[in-house]
Amino acid sequence: DLGIAPIEALSTGTPCILTDWGGPSALAEIAPELVRLLPVVRRGKWDYVPDWTNLEALVRETLRSVSKEEREASMNSLDEYY
């Protein structure tokens, strides 16, 4: 999907938890209020996987911390960027 799903979600003010690797992690620079990054760990020479150990805490923090104002600010920043 070329990263379109998170961009669409962020454009509506929906917070996203994305892996901190590759293209999705760049969205944290555009909408830092709404993007939380899930670290990745290396499991071999070319194998990187999400580090699921703190996912539940990350979800709780994301749901607790994003206010209506932050969602609206993110939507505006995405409009300007794209």
Side-chain angles (χ1 to χ4, degrees), residues 6-72:
I7 293 170
E8 290 175 341
L10 292 169
S11 70
T12 66
T14 303
C16 293
I17 297 174
L18 306 171
T19 56
D20 190 10
W21 183 38
S25 64
L27 293 174
E29 296 173 19
I30 300 167
E33 318 78 28
L34 294 179
V35 175
R36 302 296 184 267
L37 295 175
L38 182 65
V40 295
V41 292
R42 190 172 185 175
R43 295 230 178 117
K45 187 173 182 179
W46 304 106
D47 189 18
Y48 291 86
V49 296
D51 180 3
W52 303 109
T53 55
N54 294 320
L55 180 61
E56 183 178 348
L58 190 58
V59 169
R60 290 180 189 280
E61 175 208 336
T62 302
L63 293 174
R64 224 182 357 256
S65 67
V66 179
S67 68
K68 181 180 178 184
E69 292 79 20
E70 288 173 318
R71 290 193 305 271
E72 290 172 356

